[in-house]
């Protein structure tokens, strides 16, 4: 968490830690799903796992520890995959990092009507104003949300945009994984 501000909330710190991790892997990566667990509880209840994760010497007693899950299937739509997830009680939140192409709001008026999903994706990919973005979204069981956005063209820790409402649809889908 070298570039993560200590004054940030535990969720913001976890989201930025995941963004930093994903950044170290480079671009053109698959989506990655993380369970978020209470660090103090993890150390107390699972000391061997905490040691494996290098948490035994962490000075911070509050916070969230991201634990990467198995691969997100590339052959299934993300919303369908997320709908299959149920978390155990020990998981207090989850986060997902995913890369997408996006267009500026000014391009909305140019979108051709009636395109299939595949043709729309191709149209966006070919658009001269498209931008590649990595979105990291985290949610907690209590409803808290946070996000980090990193543009490929401005790939630097100081250029990461954060905020709770940046990717509302993905935050909703992640929150639904905690629905009873």
């Amino acid at each position: 968490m070298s570039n993560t501000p200590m004054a940030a909330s535990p969720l913001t710190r976890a989201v930025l830690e995941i963004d930093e991790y994903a950044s170290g892997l480079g671009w053109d990566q698959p989506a990655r799903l993380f369970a978020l667990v209470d660090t103090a509880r993890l150390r107390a209840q699972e000391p061997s796992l905490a040691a494996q994760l290098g948490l035994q010497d962490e000075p911070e007693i509050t916070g969230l520890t991201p634990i990467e899950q198995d691969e997100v299937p590339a052959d299934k739509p993300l919303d369908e995959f997320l709908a299959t997830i149920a978390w155990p009680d020990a998981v207090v939140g989850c986060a997902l990092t995913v890369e997408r192409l996006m267009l500026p709001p000014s391009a909305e008026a140019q979108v051709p009507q009636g395109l299939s999903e595949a043709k729309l994706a191709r149209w966006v990919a070919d658009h001269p104003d498209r931008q590649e973005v990595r979105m990291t979204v985290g949610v907690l069981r209590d409803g808290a949300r946070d996000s980090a956005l990193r543009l490929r063209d401005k790939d630097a820790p100081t250029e990461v945009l954060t905020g709770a409402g940046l990717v509302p649809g993905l935050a909703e889908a992640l929150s639904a994984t905690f629905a009873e």
Side-chain angles (χ1 to χ4, degrees), residues 20-80:
E20 188 175 337
Y21 166 75
S23 176
L25 298 173
W27 286 87
D28 304 316
Q29 297 293 314
R32 296 179 187 280
L33 180 66
F34 298 82
L36 300 177
V37 297
D38 180 270
T39 303
R41 185 174 171 190
L42 176 66
R43 277 196 252 172
Q45 294 180 352
E46 300 285 343
S48 62
L49 177 57
Q52 248 185 312
L53 296 172
L55 301 173
Q56 73 277 11
D57 298 325
E58 283 285 318
E60 185 180 346
I61 58 170
T62 62
L64 299 170
T65 297
I67 301 174
E68 188 169 1
Q69 303 300 292
D70 292 334
E71 267 187 43
V72 175
D75 62 339
K76 190 174 200 176
L78 193 54
D79 57 339
E80 287 179 24

Side-chain angles (χ1 to χ4, degrees), residues 104-129:
S106 59
E108 281 184 35
Q110 303 168 11
V111 177
Q113 298 300 311
L115 292 181
S116 68
E117 197 170 315
K119 287 184 179 178
L120 179 59
R122 172 75 358 228
W123 185 84
V124 170
D126 292 340
H127 196 283
D129 294 332

Side-chain angles (χ1 to χ4, degrees), residues 84-167:
T84 67
I85 295 175
W87 297 104
D89 291 341
V91 175
V92 298
C94 66
L96 181 83
T97 184
V98 64
E99 296 175 14
R100 292 290 186 258
L101 291 177
M102 63 180 245
L103 294 174
S106 59
E108 281 184 35
Q110 303 168 11
V111 177
Q113 298 300 311
L115 292 181
S116 68
E117 197 170 315
K119 287 184 179 178
L120 179 59
R122 172 75 358 228
W123 185 84
V124 170
D126 292 340
H127 196 283
D129 294 332
R130 76 184 177 289
Q131 295 215 16
E132 291 177 73
V133 62
R134 181 181 303 117
M135 302 174 283
T136 303
V137 179
V139 301
L140 298 180
R141 281 186 191 272
D142 68 9
R145 300 171 176 194
D146 214 335
S147 307
L149 295 180
R150 183 185 292 251
L151 296 175
R152 190 171 191 159
D153 289 349
K154 295 182 178 186
D155 191 2
T158 57
E159 297 290 334
V160 176
L161 181 64
T162 60
L166 297 177
V167 193

